[in-house]
Each structure stands twice: as C-alpha cells, then as structure tokens.
Amino acid sequence: MATMVQVAEMAGVSISTVSHVLNGTRHVEPETKQRVLDAISRTGYRQDALARALRRSRTDSIGLVVPDAGEPAFAEMVHGVEHAAANLGLTLILANSAENPEREERATHALLDRRVDGLILGRAAVSTPGLLQLLEEEKTPIVLLDRVFPDLPFDQVGADNREPMERLVAHLIAAGHRRFALMAGDIRVPTLRERGEGFGNAIRAAGLDPADQIVLSGTDDDELKDRLLDAFRAPARPTAVIAGSTPLAVSALRTARTAGLTIPGEVAFAAFDGFNHSDLFEPQITTVRQPAFDVGVAAVRLLADRLHDGDARPRTVRLQQSIEFRASTEDFPGVDADRVADAVAEPA
Amino acid sequence: MATMVQVAEMAGVSISTVSHVLNGTRHVEPETKQRVLDAISRTGYRQDALARALRRSRTDSIGLVVPDAGEPAFAEMVHGVEHAAANLGLTLILANSAENPEREERATHALLDRRVDGLILGRAAVSTPGLLQLLEEEKTPIVLLDRVFPDLPFDQVGADNREPMERLVAHLIAAGHRRFALMAGDIRVPTLRERGEGFGNAIRAAGLDPADQIVLSGTDDDELKDRLLDAFRAPARPTAVIAGSTPLAVSALRTARTAGLTIPGEVAFAAFDGFNHSDLFEPQITTVRQPAFDVGVAAVRLLADRLHDGDARPRTVRLQQSIEFRASTEDFPGVDADRVADAVAEPA
DNA sequence: CTGTTAGCGCATTCAG
DNA sequence: CTGAATGCGCTAACAG
C-alpha cells in the first residue's frame, strides 16, 4: 500500500503538502495540487485511517453494545444505528453482550480501547461492578440505549413503555376483561419493569383487584410457562394475556396451545414488540410496536449532539410506541358474564 | 488516559519492560513484573488499541458488509459473525450497503482503510466496477458471504439453494401439483438465481411443461404482485406458489389475499427463509430454512483459516438448508383432477 | 534480565 | 504558498 511519502515523492512535494490537499486544510497552488492528485490516483493511495486516528485522536467510529443481537427489536436498532452512523461518516463497531455481564464489560472495554468517539450501550439485565465504575469514570461520550436507567447522568433513548401498556389494558378492560395474565419476564430489565408498572397503573386506575391479576416475572422460561399453564387451568382463568416481549409472547402462545386454548376465542392476547408481518397470519396479534429503527437513529443523534457539545445537560428521549389493534384482542366472543359481574361487584 | 510512559515511570522501569509484561513477550523478573502490574492497576492504564495496531500492522478486527441489514436472514448472519469473531478476540466493524452499489463500494473502502485484518462481504445485487477492481487487487483476505459467485478466487460461504428447491418442488409434484408460480425476484442475486435454477431442474426432471410454469423475476415488487395476481385470475391458475425469499413471500401472501385465495385450501404455498415462529401461526408455512447464524460463523471460520494460511486454495462452503414441511403444502384438498390429467397427458 | 531507539503513517506547528 | 520536524502510543529490533 502506498503511503503519503511515495505520493509526495512522485509529486515532487513534501508530505505536508500532500496532507493538506488531502484534507483541504490550507491553500495549495492549483498546479501543485493537481500534481498531488495525479500522484494519488496513479499510486492508488488511500489514507490510513489508523494512523490518522492516532494523530488526530479521533477515530470517526462509534461503538454499539447490544444485550441480545438475536432479538429482532435489537437487530432493528442495530440497523438504525448503522444507518444513522453511516450518514454521519462514522463507522460502527458492533458487539453483543448476550445478556452476559462479563461479556458486556469486556466488549465495552474493547470498544473504548479502540478509542471509539462515542459509545451506544444497551445494557444487560445485570452489569458487573466493573462496568458501572467504568461508566462513571469514562470520558468518552456514552448513550444508553433502550433500557433507560432513571438516575444515571447519561443521554438515554428508549421507548415509552408505560403509556401504551396503560392504554392497552384500559382498552381490554373496556372490552370486559377483568382477569389478566401478564408475562412480565425479567423485571430487572427497565423495559420490562416499565411495562409491568404500566400494567399495575392501569389495573389500579380501573379499580380492579390486583389480587385477581397474574403477573409472571422471572428469568426461567420454563417456569414462566408452567405458571401460566397453571393459571390457564385454574377455575377462574385469565381472559386476556399480555406478553412483555417477543420471547415472552412465544412462550405464552406455546402455553396457550398446550392448554388447548384458542386465540381470541377463549383467551385474548397482545404482545409488546411482537412479530413481523402480524397482519398476514392468524391469530392476528394485537401488537405494541416499538420504533426500533428510530430508537437506533435517535441514539446516534444524541451521541452526535454530545460530540458537538460535551457540556449540554444529559437528555432522556422516549419514543412513542403505537398499538396495532388486531383480532387477537377484538374478536373474542365476550368475557364470561358471571366473572365480569364478580369483578365489578368487588373492586380493589 | 494513562500511557505506558506514566506506568513505566511509576514502576521505575522502561516502557519496553511495560510492553513486555503486558504482552508476555519476554521474561521479566517476578518482582519488577509485580511493580509494573501495580503501576498499571493504580493508573488504570489500558493499552491503546489504535497505537498497537499501527505498530503491529494488525487491528484484530474484521469488517462485515451486508447487502440488507433489515432482512432477518442477514441480521442472523451478522449475529453469527459477531459471535464467532468475539470468540476469536476480534472486534467487528459493520456496514450495510442496502443493495446500493455506491454505498457498497464506499463501505468496503472504509473498512479496508481502517485496516481490518479481514473482510466478509455480502455483495449487493449489482456492484460498481470500482468494487470489482478493488476485490481483484486487494491483499486483505476477503470472504464472500451468502451470495456465491462461481468464478471468483475467494473463500465463499452460502447455503445450498438448488437442492432444497428441487426437493421441495419434487415433493409438491408428487402431491399432484402441475402448475407452479415461482416468485423468483432479482435473479442477479446468486441466491435467488440458484433457487430459480433448482426450480427449473425439478420441473424438467419431472417432465412437466415449463410453459405451464410461471416464473416471476424482476426487481419491481409492485409489478411482481400484479403479475402474480394475473396468474391467480387466469383460467388455469397455479396450484402452488413458491417464494424465493421473505420479502417475496410477503408479496405473495398479500397477493393471495387480494385474489381471495386461501392457503392451503385453494393454493399451496412455501417460502425460502420465511418467517420466525412459523409453527405458531396460520397458515403454517412450509419453509426452507437457511442456517443463517451458522453461515455467519462459517464465514469467520474461513476468514480465520485464511489469516492463518494465506496460500491455501480458496474454498466454497455450502451449508445445507432444511425444509420444514407444514400445512401450507400438505393440507390442500387436492389439485384439480382434470388439470392434473392435462398436464400428465402432455408432458414437456 | 532490562533499557534505548527507531519507526508504524499521519496531522500539524513552526519556519521560511 | 510550501517544507522540515515533531510526536500520537506503541512494539520490536538491537544493545548491553
């Protein structure tokens, strides 16, 4: 590979001049400039991004750590981040922690050691003390992605999770549902916790008895399924199930199948994040859709702003989710009238 | 950030010694080594990957360019590549060409300029002359991903596309189908071309009349839909539709809906790549499933081998696809007996 | 067993 | 308007 030295020799100028025509950083006589340009194209010279970065102390790259590259929602965020980064001329270094605290810390260090100009971090459900300390001390701008932590002094982007859950549950209550099962999942994850909170808010706001609601939280998928199955087989089974994420939705759907319950005939169903092309398949699932691509874009935007003004006050951006109402919550034959009467008779 | 110089000063040794304890590259007296280690932890020193890479002429990173980061199959490959790269201590620089030749060339250059140790390239449907020339001249190891080009002197990984298509079509023919529609898509893409070829092979092998088959190729999605709709409305409409990719499957399903045809009641259907969790939804779609994650892993493996032995003969690896047979091709009430008789009476 | 030194390829200050 | 020289932070001869 040719270096500036060979270009300079061929053009009969100093490497300083080559550098300046390359970067347009000072005036160069048109004629010499042309000689340099010719030498560049004849040698096929290309700037070495590494050496340039070392000298300038900027890499024009950003790092992205996601907690689960396999989940479609995160894959979409990666897509959005890549897109926005490319638009700014930044290259993207990607790492996946796979919800593993050690991998998360290692990946974060690896990216920082590569001197990324900024880092977008979707934290794992649980982080190492080392990572938390690193976050505190690190000077490189960091944006937290998807999983929003209230008290951290970082720019953060995520979806608004409580509001759509409240709206969804209110909708189902208005349709007559009184007993819900929520597949809440790992509530150490802010996203899932917030969705769970939205659920609680809606139940209380409607004056329903929280004791009638089944909230299944935990990290053991098999156990969640078992508990949901028990609920399905109990005398007063839930008439509506809400899943807080795609994996939880898969578990819920499998459990409904195991229990022999049809959707929406025997149980209503809705999911956050959900499945692609839900409009094409039965059951048509009511879905709270997160603008995952845009969340990624917004993260880059926050990062770029911070790169530009390091002292601005940290911002937390919440993107709105939309609810795609479909048959899975609409076409059920109606809730058992007795049970509805019970629930209404003895509000919380 | 602390540099080796401060560590060396604090430990009372030369930077050379610091470097050697860091890299374990020559023996250091246990006692001095300990002093260095102490100084490192007290200063919070971390190696600068940039400077290290510049000096060593290796970045311990690899580049990945995908043609469509939004397609789930490629997202899975990205996941697989990241996973395998991380296992080898390599960081991943990701770029998306979005099927745009200029972006592809720009991205490839950007990664190469960053001196990635190797590059995994999923080519766009059409590349610039500049990219082709670059590929020819470039010394950095390159592995072609997913889209296999027969005559190129590169390591390549992709799925075997002809065989499963042949098997699928044979299966459908055995079930009585004689008139197919293939959503072939952009046959400049090797993957789609190979799937199309597999289709042709199967038709010929069965002695069916190619003229009875409808092969819809092209890049204009609306036009493909229109032509499929025409086919659906023709007197002798196809009894089975095969989609060569997920986007094509979406188009086909929408068109079937427009035409008011039920699956599999009135038309059988199968798709390559398909949808996640197809077992949970109706219609349950027969799917040719590509091991996308493993394709990504295999690409890294090829690249690592090449990094280790640059002179080995280029290899092309084809991973096998599995066919998930489901109701969409199984439970149709049967093909129109007359038409079957016709087709059998006048073989190609 | 350890230290000194010369670059890796570039951007940039300082001279001219 | 252009060139010479310095150093970003590190590794790897080379020397002792």
Side-chain angles (χ1 to χ4, degrees):
Chain A
M1 204 55 201
T3 74
M4 275 182 31
V5 175
Q6 1 240 9
V7 174
E9 280 170 0
M10 181 176 295
V13 299
S14 72
I15 63 165
S16 175
T17 297
V18 175
S19 174
H20 282 118
V21 334
L22 236 38
N23 300 310
T25 177
R26 83 180 175 193
H27 186 80
V28 176
E29 199 65 355
E31 195 232 336
T32 43
K33 175 189 261 182
Q34 193 52 54
R35 285 215 314 282
V36 171
L37 261 16
D38 288 349
I40 286 175
S41 74
R42 284 180 48 206
T43 54
Y45 168 80
R46 312 209 93 233
Q47 266 179 315
D48 184 313
L50 232 49
R52 188 163 200 267
L54 182 61
R55 182 58 235 251
R56 304 202 319 158
S57 308
R58 323 182 14 194
T59 54
D60 292 320
S61 69
I62 64 175
L64 171 60
V65 181
V66 293
D68 187 352
E71 246 189 86
F74 284 112
E76 248 330 279
M77 289 183 213
V78 171
H79 185 190
V81 168
E82 197 282 338
H83 178 83
N87 275 349
L88 295 176
L90 300 169
T91 60
L92 175 66
I93 309 188
L94 175 67
N96 175 26
S97 69
E99 297 285 16
N100 175 322
E102 281 74 34
R103 287 187 58 175
E104 178 179 51
E105 183 177 351
R106 218 178 313 137
T108 305
H109 266 134
L111 300 193
L112 257 13
D113 290 352
R114 279 199 150 63
R115 297 237 224 140
V116 290
D117 293 342
L119 182 67
I120 298 175
L121 173 59
R123 283 179 55 190
V126 30
S127 300
T128 60
L131 181 81
L132 298 177
Q133 189 192 339
L134 173 62
L135 293 186
E136 249 177 64
E137 298 170 355
E138 184 58 38
K139 301 300 295 173
T140 307
I142 295 178
V143 172
L144 262 29
L145 177 78
D146 181 66
R147 301 176 174 185
V148 172
F149 294 77
D151 297 322
L152 262 29
F154 293 110
D155 293 305
Q156 307 198 55
V157 218
D160 182 356
N161 291 298
R162 292 188 193 81
E163 185 275 333
M165 176 63 99
E166 290 165 6
R167 196 146 44 95
L168 173 65
V169 174
H171 176 88
L172 287 165
I173 290 174
H177 292 276
R178 294 297 177 270
R179 288 172 189 272
F180 294 85
L182 173 67
M183 287 289 262
D186 187 348
I187 54 175
R188 294 170 306 180
V189 174
T191 320
L192 293 173
R193 179 156 18 85
E194 290 163 5
R195 290 170 187 176
E197 289 166 3
F199 178 78
N201 294 346
I203 293 298
R204 280 190 301 277
L208 295 194
D209 188 350
D212 285 345
Q213 315 310 325
I214 297 163
V215 176
L216 303 171
S217 64
T219 57
D220 182 337
D221 186 58
D222 286 334
E223 190 202 320
L224 290 179
K225 280 197 252 189
D226 286 345
R227 287 163 62 196
L228 182 59
L229 189 58
D230 287 346
F232 278 155
R233 287 178 173 163
R237 66 169 168 77
T239 63
V241 176
I242 300 174
S245 72
T246 302
L248 292 166
V250 171
S251 298
L253 289 171
R254 290 203 195 293
T255 304
R257 174 177 294 182
T258 304
L261 294 177
T262 61
I263 296 169
E266 297 170 286
V267 61
F269 185 72
F272 276 64
D273 299 351
F275 305 88
N276 290 331
H277 311 294
S278 260
D279 56 317
L280 289 174
F281 299 101
E282 304 289 337
Q284 296 218 352
I285 295 181
T286 289
T287 302
V288 181
R289 191 68 69 180
Q290 174 181 179
F293 185 93
D294 294 335
V295 169
V297 171
V300 174
R301 192 163 165 36
L302 281 182
L303 194 53
D305 286 355
R306 168 94 17 219
L307 256 23
H308 190 257
D309 174 9
D311 294 327
R313 201 166 137 276
R315 289 182 288 166
T316 293
V317 174
R318 294 278 192 172
L319 301 206
Q320 235 183 321
Q321 309 203 53
S322 58
I323 309 185
E324 302 167 356
F325 287 104
R326 296 212 182 79
S328 73
T329 55
E330 307 303 305
D331 288 351
F332 50 87
V335 182
D336 182 298
D338 289 354
R339 258 189 267 126
V340 171
D342 284 0
V344 169
E346 41 183 355
Chain B
M1 203 57 199
T3 74
M4 275 182 31
V5 175
Q6 0 238 10
V7 173
E9 279 172 0
M10 181 175 295
V13 300
S14 72
I15 63 165
S16 174
T17 296
V18 175
S19 173
H20 282 117
V21 333
L22 236 37
N23 301 310
T25 178
R26 82 180 177 193
H27 185 80
V28 175
E29 199 68 354
E31 195 232 337
T32 42
K33 176 189 262 182
Q34 193 51 55
R35 285 215 314 282
V36 171
L37 260 18
D38 289 349
I40 286 176
S41 75
R42 284 181 48 205
T43 54
Y45 168 80
R46 310 210 94 233
Q47 264 178 316
D48 184 314
L50 232 48
R52 188 163 198 266
L54 181 61
R55 182 57 234 246
R56 304 201 322 158
S57 310
R58 347 183 347 203
T59 54
D60 293 320
S61 68
I62 64 174
L64 171 61
V65 181
V66 292
D68 188 350
E71 245 188 89
F74 284 113
E76 249 329 281
M77 288 184 214
V78 171
H79 186 189
V81 168
E82 196 282 339
H83 177 84
N87 275 349
L88 296 175
L90 301 169
T91 59
L92 174 66
I93 308 188
L94 175 67
N96 175 26
S97 69
E99 296 285 16
N100 175 321
E102 282 74 34
R103 286 187 59 175
E104 178 179 49
E105 184 177 350
R106 216 177 316 136
T108 306
H109 266 133
L111 300 192
L112 257 14
D113 290 352
R114 281 200 147 65
R115 299 238 224 137
V116 290
D117 293 342
L119 181 68
I120 298 174
L121 172 60
R123 282 180 55 189
V126 31
S127 299
T128 60
L131 182 81
L132 298 177
Q133 190 193 339
L134 174 62
L135 294 186
E136 247 177 66
E137 299 170 354
E138 183 60 37
K139 300 299 296 173
T140 306
I142 295 179
V143 172
L144 262 29
L145 177 79
D146 180 66
R147 302 176 173 185
V148 172
F149 293 77
D151 298 323
L152 263 28
F154 293 109
D155 294 304
Q156 307 198 55
V157 218
D160 182 355
N161 291 298
R162 291 187 194 82
E163 186 274 333
M165 176 65 98
E166 291 166 6
R167 197 147 44 95
L168 173 65
V169 174
H171 176 87
L172 287 164
I173 290 174
H177 293 277
R178 294 296 177 268
R179 290 173 186 273
F180 293 85
L182 172 67
M183 287 289 263
D186 187 348
I187 54 175
R188 295 171 306 181
V189 174
T191 320
L192 293 172
R193 178 156 19 85
E194 291 163 7
R195 291 170 187 176
E197 289 167 3
F199 178 78
N201 295 347
I203 293 297
R204 281 191 300 278
L208 295 194
D209 188 350
D212 286 345
Q213 315 310 325
I214 297 163
V215 175
L216 302 171
S217 63
T219 56
D220 182 337
D221 185 58
D222 285 334
E223 191 203 319
L224 289 179
K225 280 196 251 188
D226 286 346
R227 288 162 61 195
L228 182 59
L229 189 57
D230 288 346
F232 278 155
R233 288 176 173 164
R237 66 169 167 79
T239 63
V241 177
I242 300 173
S245 72
T246 302
L248 292 166
V250 171
S251 298
L253 289 171
R254 290 204 196 293
T255 305
R257 175 178 293 181
T258 304
L261 294 176
T262 60
I263 296 169
E266 297 168 287
V267 61
F269 184 73
F272 276 65
D273 298 351
F275 305 88
N276 290 332
H277 310 295
S278 259
D279 55 316
L280 289 174
F281 299 101
E282 304 289 336
Q284 297 218 352
I285 296 182
T286 289
T287 302
V288 181
R289 191 68 69 179
Q290 173 182 178
F293 185 93
D294 294 335
V295 169
V297 171
V300 174
R301 192 163 164 37
L302 281 182
L303 194 52
D305 287 354
R306 168 94 19 219
L307 256 22
H308 190 256
D309 174 8
D311 294 326
R313 200 165 136 275
R315 290 181 287 167
T316 293
V317 174
R318 294 279 192 171
L319 301 206
Q320 233 183 322
Q321 311 203 53
S322 57
I323 309 186
E324 303 167 355
F325 287 103
R326 297 213 182 79
S328 73
T329 56
E330 307 303 306
D331 289 351
F332 49 88
V335 182
D336 182 298
D338 288 353
R339 258 189 267 126
V340 171
D342 284 359
V344 170
E346 40 183 355

